Amino acid sequence: MTTMNLSLSATRLLGAAAILSVACMADIAHAVTKKTREAQSSAASAPKKSRSVKIKQQQNHSGETTAERDRRLYRECKGMPNAGACLGYTSR
């Protein structure tokens, strides 16, 4: 092979690589715009959800009322550190 044939082959190879890379970029760009279009259409058609938080009342399985529980904790937590279950019940 001569240098003329080698440079012509290299030029053809470089041109083919450039065409292939441009075609791949166009395909990726098409896929991205398709995804954004689908996301916009699904967001527009879906109803907005409420972001409010509902707090459920806790079940008290011990059978004591909240007033009874408060009195018991004040009685049991006298002189204890103000932490854990006794947090807020160490003094009146």
Side-chain angles (χ1 to χ4, degrees), residues 2 9 12 17 20 22 24-25 40 48 52 56 67 71 73-75 79-80:
T2 63
S9 299
R12 286 182 183 165
L20 185 61
V22 169
C24 289
M25 285 182 182
Q40 288 174 351
K48 289 192 174 185
S52 64
K56 294 182 180 179
R71 275 183 265 151
L73 284 172
Y74 277 119
R75 183 180 66 246
M80 301 276 293

Side-chain angles (χ1 to χ4, degrees), residues 40-57:
Q40 288 174 351
S41 66
S42 66
S45 64
K48 289 192 174 185
K49 292 184 178 181
S50 174
R51 293 189 183 252
S52 64
V53 177
K54 295 181 182 179
I55 299 173
K56 294 182 180 179
Q57 296 294 327

Side-chain angles (χ1 to χ4, degrees), residues 27-65:
D27 189 39
I28 291 171
H30 176 69
V32 169
T33 56
K34 184 178 179 182
K35 285 182 183 179
T36 55
R37 235 183 287 127
E38 288 173 355
Q40 288 174 351
S41 66
S42 66
S45 64
K48 289 192 174 185
K49 292 184 178 181
S50 174
R51 293 189 183 252
S52 64
V53 177
K54 295 181 182 179
I55 299 173
K56 294 182 180 179
Q57 296 294 327
Q58 291 182 344
Q59 291 287 333
N60 188 358
H61 297 291
S62 66
E64 65 182 355
T65 64

